[in-house]
Amino acid sequence: MTTLTRWVSSLGLMAALILTGCTSPGEPATLEEKLAKHGFAQGEAIREVKNYRIDGWNYLDTEHLIFSAGPSGDYMVTLSQSCTDLRSAEDIAFTSTNNNLTAFESVVVATPTGRRRCPIESLHTLSKLAP
């Protein structure tokens, strides 16, 4: 084996080890696992959430969040693009009209440099998992 071949092989092995170290085996990987961690399962896709009020919300990943709308239920919002500011957001809001949330709205996240709008792609109901 030449020195260059050994060097390239070593570099490839180091890269594989580094990438393997970046994944955390304790964290949920799939959306289903992330929802289950919060006690939910994904329900049906819906067109809108009527007369909602945000009673609480949780970050799932840069493209998904769940929120409680009080007595009307719990919902998952899927964003049309990654919203990295969502992870560190303390509060969120929606750009809804007439107290109805649809896929034509956006999630508004406050950042140190101002507000960022993250467009919504879809909405789903959530069902609580049995304990």
Side-chain angles (χ1 to χ4, degrees), residues 47-100:
R47 296 176 75 131
E48 67 182 343
V49 179
K50 294 183 180 197
N51 299 319
Y52 75 94
R53 192 181 96 201
I54 301 175
D55 276 348
W57 70 280
N58 287 14
Y59 169 88
L60 292 178
D61 58 37
T62 60
E63 295 177 7
H64 300 93
L65 67 95
I66 56 178
F67 78 97
S68 175
S72 64
D74 300 297
Y75 302 91
M76 180 179 70
V77 175
T78 300
L79 303 173
S80 61
Q81 60 192 34
S82 181
C83 184
T84 55
D85 295 319
L86 193 57
R87 171 174 280 194
S88 59
E90 291 183 22
D91 294 312
I92 62 165
F94 296 112
T95 59
S96 60
T97 54
N98 301 327
N99 283 341
N100 295 331

Side-chain angles (χ1 to χ4, degrees), residues 2-44:
T2 67
T3 304
L4 179 60
T5 306
R6 264 187 259 145
W7 184 79
V8 170
S9 294
S10 296
L11 186 59
L13 179 60
M14 286 174 28
L17 290 172
I18 290 171
L19 289 175
T20 302
C22 289
T23 60
S24 175
E27 290 193 27
T30 67
L31 181 58
E32 183 179 87
E33 291 171 337
K34 292 173 187 176
L35 286 169
K37 180 182 173 190
H38 291 280
F40 294 107
Q42 182 175 327
E44 64 184 52

